[in-house]
Amino acid sequence: MTSSEMWGREAAERYDAEETEMTSAAVLGATVDFLAELAGEGRALEFAIGTGRVGVPLRGRGVPVAGIELSEHMAAVLRRKVDEDTLPVVIGDMATTVVPGEFSLVYLVYNTISNLLTQDEQVTCFRNAARHLEPGGRFVIELGVPPLRFLPPGQVAVPFDVSERHLGFDTVDPVEQILVSHHFSRDGDGDHYRRDASRHRYAWPAELDLMARIAGLAPERRVADWDGTPFTQDSPKHISVWRKPA
């Protein structure tokens, strides 16, 4: 078991409904296009596949997909969408669990590597990705850039969403590189708000490149989004691609 916090039944059941923007055609279309091109004629493995938000439509594009998922509850939601023969999922942690065979693509989306709360586990995750890749295969990560530029001296919180149904802000510990995302979500049409929080270990792009090098992977590409927008100092996130030498 890794340090990743477990998704329970209630959180898994409401996940898709609360992530409507991330499940939109605009977001998923570009994501699947990007990943399908990298997978080519090979197989793809998604670490922390969750409810299949990305894996299911990627499989629908004709790419053979397998997944690793820590939460049985998240995997159960995925299983309602597609059967085991079509998209096999192994229950386990993404840092150490092994799926049979080799893959042309291993990918981790939506900040999920930050669920591993220690640097050692994140390095182990890179090594696990390299273990699964065939020669010439690629490892892809989608991860936000730490919001430290928005923190004036003495401030520890950064808001990321202030809307009618949701209030969200991150608190940051720059010594331990731990970020806590706080969510206040409105339930129904009343005045009741549900409070949730999740812990993450953030990492800079250069730190991820070093993890990749430790795992024997070489940097190939870094862009700001799935559409391929150039990555700059102002980009709030990045899509990074590393390649296993042929």
Side-chain angles (χ1 to χ4, degrees):
M1 181 69 69
T2 71
S3 61
S4 294
E5 296 175 349
M6 183 73 73
W7 285 77
R9 185 185 304 277
E10 291 185 6
E13 291 293 337
R14 63 174 183 259
Y15 180 82
D16 287 346
E18 292 184 344
E19 294 292 345
T20 53
E21 179 180 354
M22 298 303 295
T23 57
S24 67
V27 172
L28 280 181
T31 305
V32 171
D33 287 345
F34 191 106
L35 296 173
E37 181 179 355
L38 291 181
E41 299 298 318
R43 303 165 67 209
L45 173 62
E46 181 172 353
F47 284 180
I49 194 169
T51 64
R53 179 183 67 88
V54 174
V56 171
L58 183 60
R59 182 66 184 89
R61 283 282 297 271
V63 178
V65 178
I68 295 173
E69 173 54 44
L70 183 62
S71 169
E72 294 185 10
H73 302 297
M74 296 288 276
V77 175
L78 179 152
R79 194 53 65 220
R80 298 174 198 158
K81 304 173 184 178
V82 63
D83 60 44
E84 177 72 17
D85 290 337
T86 303
L87 201 165
V89 175
V90 177
I91 301 298
D93 69 87
M94 58 185 163
T96 61
T97 301
V98 177
V99 176
E102 289 188 325
F103 298 82
S104 62
L105 174 68
V106 177
Y107 65 95
L108 250 175
V109 297
Y110 204 17
N111 304 320
T112 311
I113 194 169
S114 69
N115 292 357
L116 299 170
L117 300 179
T118 70
Q119 186 183 69
D120 284 345
E121 287 178 321
Q122 291 178 353
V123 170
T124 302
C125 183
F126 269 82
R127 285 176 166 154
N128 198 30
R131 176 188 298 122
H132 285 90
L133 286 173
E134 63 188 26
R138 294 171 173 89
F139 183 35
V140 176
I141 282 180
E142 176 188 22
L143 184 62
V145 176
L148 301 193
R149 294 177 62 195
F150 299 100
L151 287 174
Q155 182 173 315
V156 297
V158 178
F160 59 85
D161 185 28
V162 180
S163 58
E164 182 179 353
R165 306 197 65 85
H166 178 254
L167 303 175
F169 61 91
D170 294 329
T171 54
V172 180
D173 179 347
V175 175
E176 299 296 331
Q177 289 186 214
I178 294 295
L179 178 151
V180 181
S181 285
H182 305 265
H183 302 268
F184 294 84
S185 304
R186 188 177 181 184
D187 283 335
D189 295 324
D191 295 328
H192 179 264
Y193 280 77
R194 183 184 67 257
R195 178 177 181 177
D196 300 293
S198 58
R199 298 172 69 228
H200 307 270
R201 182 188 185 271
Y202 64 81
W204 301 98
E207 185 181 4
L208 298 180
D209 285 342
L210 183 56
M211 293 181 188
R213 182 185 301 180
I214 291 170
L217 304 175
E220 183 175 79
R221 186 183 182 194
R222 176 167 290 128
V223 292
D225 53 38
W226 297 107
D227 291 315
T229 303
F231 179 74
T232 71
Q233 65 178 6
D234 297 318
S235 300
K237 73 172 186 178
H238 60 96
I239 315 295
S240 294
V241 182
W242 299 274
R243 191 168 184 267
K244 185 173 182 175

